[in-house]
Amino acid sequence: VRKRRFAEICRRLCETEMPIAALALDCGFGSQATFTRAFTREIGVSPGRYRGAGQIAPAHDFGPLDVEEILARAGRLSMEPRIAHRTAFNIVGMAERFTPSTSSRIPELWTRFVARIDEVPHRRGVETYGVCVDADPASGEEAGFTYVAGVEVEGIESVPDGMMAMTVPAGRYAVFTHEGHISRLKDTVKQIWGGWLPASPYRLVRRPDFEQYDARWDPQTGLGEIAVWVPIAEE
């Protein structure tokens, strides 16, 4: 309910010219200051900055609730992955440090990167990648990780200012397919780490895990299929 409430606020920020103070009161907040604090905590940027971007991030664009789709998705969460070996590949993109409580800001990182994606030289393919590296070994809500929004490139000799380069090493992966809206990707990830992995004959390997966005996913609607690559080895 909270996410859908803020998704509607995001829509109104981008599609109307209602003053932010009036919007805050209309949405049930006692003041603009209270609204700004709540919005920034939930979305990761201030209402004014979000409006300035001029478009709704896919992670904040919720469609109507569909009970049949929810029930169908509950069955898909028990899916079995395919096991694949992937050769090493190079990524250039933008990186930021997050914790589970600040991960709502990842769409803002994507927005900044996509605005400059054409600056990346020697791009390879049309896919984009969300790579998770340097995850803290400690468990808990504040375990940190570095998230890289990027694209595959032929080499990492030339990197635009404000971006970084990395090589994802070769290895074996369990490859899952997330279906539906990107806002539910967290549910799939929780099912992988909390359900599938402990019951599987594999163990997690300390290499980057990553999301792969290809033609099956629509960045305009946030809908489609996303490949989730989890580094593994047999026990």
PDB file of all heavy atoms in Angstrom, residues 98-117:
ATOM      1  N   PHE A  98      25.176   0.902  -1.180  1.00  0.00           N
ATOM      2  CA  PHE A  98      23.824   0.841  -0.632  1.00  0.00           C
ATOM      3  C   PHE A  98      23.770  -0.137   0.529  1.00  0.00           C
ATOM      4  O   PHE A  98      24.667  -0.956   0.727  1.00  0.00           O
ATOM      5  CB  PHE A  98      22.822   0.383  -1.702  1.00  0.00           C
ATOM      6  CG  PHE A  98      22.681   1.310  -2.864  1.00  0.00           C
ATOM      7  CD1 PHE A  98      23.389   1.093  -4.033  1.00  0.00           C
ATOM      8  CD2 PHE A  98      21.831   2.401  -2.803  1.00  0.00           C
ATOM      9  CE1 PHE A  98      23.260   1.951  -5.121  1.00  0.00           C
ATOM     10  CE2 PHE A  98      21.683   3.264  -3.873  1.00  0.00           C
ATOM     11  CZ  PHE A  98      22.411   3.037  -5.040  1.00  0.00           C
ATOM     12  N   THR A  99      22.689  -0.043   1.288  1.00  0.00           N
ATOM     13  CA  THR A  99      22.297  -1.061   2.260  1.00  0.00           C
ATOM     14  C   THR A  99      20.870  -1.442   1.914  1.00  0.00           C
ATOM     15  O   THR A  99      20.218  -0.765   1.103  1.00  0.00           O
ATOM     16  CB  THR A  99      22.352  -0.523   3.705  1.00  0.00           C
ATOM     17  OG1 THR A  99      21.337   0.484   3.855  1.00  0.00           O
ATOM     18  CG2 THR A  99      23.707   0.056   4.041  1.00  0.00           C
ATOM     19  N   PRO A 100      20.332  -2.532   2.492  1.00  0.00           N
ATOM     20  CA  PRO A 100      18.933  -2.865   2.215  1.00  0.00           C
ATOM     21  C   PRO A 100      17.976  -1.710   2.481  1.00  0.00           C
ATOM     22  O   PRO A 100      16.992  -1.529   1.755  1.00  0.00           O
ATOM     23  CB  PRO A 100      18.675  -4.043   3.158  1.00  0.00           C
ATOM     24  CG  PRO A 100      20.006  -4.711   3.275  1.00  0.00           C
ATOM     25  CD  PRO A 100      21.004  -3.591   3.287  1.00  0.00           C
ATOM     26  N   SER A 101      18.265  -0.894   3.481  1.00  0.00           N
ATOM     27  CA  SER A 101      17.353   0.201   3.810  1.00  0.00           C
ATOM     28  C   SER A 101      17.491   1.393   2.873  1.00  0.00           C
ATOM     29  O   SER A 101      16.621   2.265   2.845  1.00  0.00           O
ATOM     30  CB  SER A 101      17.569   0.654   5.257  1.00  0.00           C
ATOM     31  OG  SER A 101      18.887   1.156   5.431  1.00  0.00           O
ATOM     32  N   THR A 102      18.585   1.459   2.092  1.00  0.00           N
ATOM     33  CA  THR A 102      18.752   2.559   1.138  1.00  0.00           C
ATOM     34  C   THR A 102      18.661   2.099  -0.307  1.00  0.00           C
ATOM     35  O   THR A 102      18.867   2.893  -1.227  1.00  0.00           O
ATOM     36  CB  THR A 102      20.104   3.274   1.351  1.00  0.00           C
ATOM     37  OG1 THR A 102      21.184   2.350   1.094  1.00  0.00           O
ATOM     38  CG2 THR A 102      20.226   3.813   2.763  1.00  0.00           C
ATOM     39  N   SER A 103      18.348   0.830  -0.530  1.00  0.00           N
ATOM     40  CA  SER A 103      18.322   0.301  -1.900  1.00  0.00           C
ATOM     41  C   SER A 103      17.213   0.910  -2.756  1.00  0.00           C
ATOM     42  O   SER A 103      17.227   0.757  -3.979  1.00  0.00           O
ATOM     43  CB  SER A 103      18.177  -1.229  -1.880  1.00  0.00           C
ATOM     44  OG  SER A 103      16.960  -1.612  -1.258  1.00  0.00           O
ATOM     45  N   SER A 104      16.259   1.618  -2.133  1.00  0.00           N
ATOM     46  CA  SER A 104      15.217   2.288  -2.916  1.00  0.00           C
ATOM     47  C   SER A 104      15.803   3.394  -3.785  1.00  0.00           C
ATOM     48  O   SER A 104      15.144   3.896  -4.693  1.00  0.00           O
ATOM     49  CB  SER A 104      14.144   2.874  -1.991  1.00  0.00           C
ATOM     50  OG  SER A 104      14.711   3.837  -1.107  1.00  0.00           O
ATOM     51  N   ARG A 105      17.057   3.758  -3.523  1.00  0.00           N
ATOM     52  CA  ARG A 105      17.703   4.801  -4.317  1.00  0.00           C
ATOM     53  C   ARG A 105      18.363   4.255  -5.581  1.00  0.00           C
ATOM     54  O   ARG A 105      18.899   5.032  -6.374  1.00  0.00           O
ATOM     55  CB  ARG A 105      18.744   5.520  -3.459  1.00  0.00           C
ATOM     56  CG  ARG A 105      18.159   6.194  -2.217  1.00  0.00           C
ATOM     57  CD  ARG A 105      19.226   6.871  -1.387  1.00  0.00           C
ATOM     58  NE  ARG A 105      18.655   7.451  -0.170  1.00  0.00           N
ATOM     59  CZ  ARG A 105      19.355   8.060   0.761  1.00  0.00           C
ATOM     60  NH1 ARG A 105      20.664   8.156   0.637  1.00  0.00           N
ATOM     61  NH2 ARG A 105      18.759   8.558   1.834  1.00  0.00           N
ATOM     62  N   ILE A 106      18.355   2.949  -5.777  1.00  0.00           N
ATOM     63  CA  ILE A 106      18.986   2.368  -6.972  1.00  0.00           C
ATOM     64  C   ILE A 106      18.361   2.899  -8.260  1.00  0.00           C
ATOM     65  O   ILE A 106      19.094   3.177  -9.219  1.00  0.00           O
ATOM     66  CB  ILE A 106      18.946   0.827  -6.908  1.00  0.00           C
ATOM     67  CG1 ILE A 106      19.911   0.335  -5.816  1.00  0.00           C
ATOM     68  CG2 ILE A 106      19.308   0.207  -8.255  1.00  0.00           C
ATOM     69  CD1 ILE A 106      19.913  -1.169  -5.611  1.00  0.00           C
ATOM     70  N   PRO A 107      17.026   3.075  -8.355  1.00  0.00           N
ATOM     71  CA  PRO A 107      16.476   3.655  -9.594  1.00  0.00           C
ATOM     72  C   PRO A 107      17.064   5.012  -9.942  1.00  0.00           C
ATOM     73  O   PRO A 107      17.217   5.342 -11.122  1.00  0.00           O
ATOM     74  CB  PRO A 107      14.974   3.753  -9.296  1.00  0.00           C
ATOM     75  CG  PRO A 107      14.721   2.656  -8.327  1.00  0.00           C
ATOM     76  CD  PRO A 107      15.944   2.625  -7.457  1.00  0.00           C
ATOM     77  N   GLU A 108      17.409   5.825  -8.933  1.00  0.00           N
ATOM     78  CA  GLU A 108      18.018   7.123  -9.225  1.00  0.00           C
ATOM     79  C   GLU A 108      19.384   6.931  -9.872  1.00  0.00           C
ATOM     80  O   GLU A 108      19.759   7.663 -10.803  1.00  0.00           O
ATOM     81  CB  GLU A 108      18.169   7.946  -7.950  1.00  0.00           C
ATOM     82  CG  GLU A 108      18.718   9.348  -8.218  1.00  0.00           C
ATOM     83  CD  GLU A 108      19.331  10.003  -6.996  1.00  0.00           C
ATOM     84  OE1 GLU A 108      19.339   9.390  -5.917  1.00  0.00           O
ATOM     85  OE2 GLU A 108      19.819  11.140  -7.131  1.00  0.00           O
ATOM     86  N   LEU A 109      20.146   5.935  -9.413  1.00  0.00           N
ATOM     87  CA  LEU A 109      21.440   5.629 -10.032  1.00  0.00           C
ATOM     88  C   LEU A 109      21.246   5.252 -11.489  1.00  0.00           C
ATOM     89  O   LEU A 109      21.978   5.712 -12.374  1.00  0.00           O
ATOM     90  CB  LEU A 109      22.122   4.495  -9.263  1.00  0.00           C
ATOM     91  CG  LEU A 109      23.461   3.987  -9.839  1.00  0.00           C
ATOM     92  CD1 LEU A 109      24.520   5.081  -9.783  1.00  0.00           C
ATOM     93  CD2 LEU A 109      23.925   2.746  -9.075  1.00  0.00           C
ATOM     94  N   TRP A 110      20.234   4.423 -11.769  1.00  0.00           N
ATOM     95  CA  TRP A 110      19.943   4.045 -13.150  1.00  0.00           C
ATOM     96  C   TRP A 110      19.562   5.259 -13.987  1.00  0.00           C
ATOM     97  O   TRP A 110      19.989   5.389 -15.146  1.00  0.00           O
ATOM     98  CB  TRP A 110      18.826   3.006 -13.193  1.00  0.00           C
ATOM     99  CG  TRP A 110      19.308   1.598 -13.039  1.00  0.00           C
ATOM    100  CD1 TRP A 110      19.148   0.776 -11.966  1.00  0.00           C
ATOM    101  CD2 TRP A 110      20.037   0.839 -14.010  1.00  0.00           C
ATOM    102  NE1 TRP A 110      19.738  -0.438 -12.202  1.00  0.00           N
ATOM    103  CE2 TRP A 110      20.287  -0.443 -13.439  1.00  0.00           C
ATOM    104  CE3 TRP A 110      20.507   1.107 -15.290  1.00  0.00           C
ATOM    105  CZ2 TRP A 110      20.981  -1.435 -14.127  1.00  0.00           C
ATOM    106  CZ3 TRP A 110      21.206   0.108 -15.981  1.00  0.00           C
ATOM    107  CH2 TRP A 110      21.431  -1.136 -15.387  1.00  0.00           C
ATOM    108  N   THR A 111      18.766   6.156 -13.424  1.00  0.00           N
ATOM    109  CA  THR A 111      18.351   7.351 -14.169  1.00  0.00           C
ATOM    110  C   THR A 111      19.561   8.185 -14.562  1.00  0.00           C
ATOM    111  O   THR A 111      19.673   8.668 -15.700  1.00  0.00           O
ATOM    112  CB  THR A 111      17.386   8.201 -13.319  1.00  0.00           C
ATOM    113  OG1 THR A 111      16.210   7.424 -13.044  1.00  0.00           O
ATOM    114  CG2 THR A 111      16.967   9.466 -14.070  1.00  0.00           C
ATOM    115  N   ARG A 112      20.510   8.358 -13.640  1.00  0.00           N
ATOM    116  CA  ARG A 112      21.716   9.128 -13.937  1.00  0.00           C
ATOM    117  C   ARG A 112      22.580   8.437 -14.979  1.00  0.00           C
ATOM    118  O   ARG A 112      23.150   9.086 -15.867  1.00  0.00           O
ATOM    119  CB  ARG A 112      22.514   9.373 -12.652  1.00  0.00           C
ATOM    120  CG  ARG A 112      21.868  10.394 -11.717  1.00  0.00           C
ATOM    121  CD  ARG A 112      22.790  10.796 -10.577  1.00  0.00           C
ATOM    122  NE  ARG A 112      22.807   9.800  -9.509  1.00  0.00           N
ATOM    123  CZ  ARG A 112      23.841   9.087  -9.158  1.00  0.00           C
ATOM    124  NH1 ARG A 112      24.994   9.214  -9.803  1.00  0.00           N
ATOM    125  NH2 ARG A 112      23.777   8.216  -8.167  1.00  0.00           N
ATOM    126  N   PHE A 113      22.666   7.105 -14.883  1.00  0.00           N
ATOM    127  CA  PHE A 113      23.506   6.382 -15.839  1.00  0.00           C
ATOM    128  C   PHE A 113      22.892   6.374 -17.236  1.00  0.00           C
ATOM    129  O   PHE A 113      23.584   6.628 -18.230  1.00  0.00           O
ATOM    130  CB  PHE A 113      23.740   4.945 -15.371  1.00  0.00           C
ATOM    131  CG  PHE A 113      24.474   4.111 -16.389  1.00  0.00           C
ATOM    132  CD1 PHE A 113      25.786   4.405 -16.730  1.00  0.00           C
ATOM    133  CD2 PHE A 113      23.844   3.046 -17.021  1.00  0.00           C
ATOM    134  CE1 PHE A 113      26.459   3.654 -17.690  1.00  0.00           C
ATOM    135  CE2 PHE A 113      24.509   2.296 -17.972  1.00  0.00           C
ATOM    136  CZ  PHE A 113      25.824   2.596 -18.306  1.00  0.00           C
ATOM    137  N   VAL A 114      21.598   6.109 -17.320  1.00  0.00           N
ATOM    138  CA  VAL A 114      20.945   6.039 -18.639  1.00  0.00           C
ATOM    139  C   VAL A 114      21.066   7.374 -19.372  1.00  0.00           C
ATOM    140  O   VAL A 114      21.192   7.410 -20.606  1.00  0.00           O
ATOM    141  CB  VAL A 114      19.473   5.617 -18.474  1.00  0.00           C
ATOM    142  CG1 VAL A 114      18.706   5.789 -19.786  1.00  0.00           C
ATOM    143  CG2 VAL A 114      19.395   4.156 -18.016  1.00  0.00           C
ATOM    144  N   ALA A 115      21.045   8.482 -18.636  1.00  0.00           N
ATOM    145  CA  ALA A 115      21.177   9.793 -19.267  1.00  0.00           C
ATOM    146  C   ALA A 115      22.535   9.966 -19.948  1.00  0.00           C
ATOM    147  O   ALA A 115      22.683  10.798 -20.848  1.00  0.00           O
ATOM    148  CB  ALA A 115      20.964  10.894 -18.235  1.00  0.00           C
ATOM    149  N   ARG A 116      23.530   9.162 -19.533  1.00  0.00           N
ATOM    150  CA  ARG A 116      24.883   9.280 -20.092  1.00  0.00           C
ATOM    151  C   ARG A 116      25.345   8.004 -20.789  1.00  0.00           C
ATOM    152  O   ARG A 116      26.531   7.887 -21.132  1.00  0.00           O
ATOM    153  CB  ARG A 116      25.870   9.622 -18.970  1.00  0.00           C
ATOM    154  CG  ARG A 116      25.619  10.970 -18.293  1.00  0.00           C
ATOM    155  CD  ARG A 116      26.712  11.254 -17.261  1.00  0.00           C
ATOM    156  NE  ARG A 116      28.035  11.222 -17.882  1.00  0.00           N
ATOM    157  CZ  ARG A 116      29.171  11.143 -17.189  1.00  0.00           C
ATOM    158  NH1 ARG A 116      29.145  11.084 -15.860  1.00  0.00           N
ATOM    159  NH2 ARG A 116      30.339  11.120 -17.804  1.00  0.00           N
ATOM    160  N   ILE A 117      24.434   7.093 -21.031  1.00  0.00           N
ATOM    161  CA  ILE A 117      24.827   5.774 -21.536  1.00  0.00           C
ATOM    162  C   ILE A 117      25.516   5.854 -22.888  1.00  0.00           C
ATOM    163  O   ILE A 117      26.399   5.045 -23.207  1.00  0.00           O
ATOM    164  CB  ILE A 117      23.594   4.840 -21.580  1.00  0.00           C
ATOM    165  CG1 ILE A 117      24.027   3.376 -21.676  1.00  0.00           C
ATOM    166  CG2 ILE A 117      22.662   5.210 -22.718  1.00  0.00           C
ATOM    167  CD1 ILE A 117      22.892   2.401 -21.472  1.00  0.00           C
TER     168      ILE A 117
END
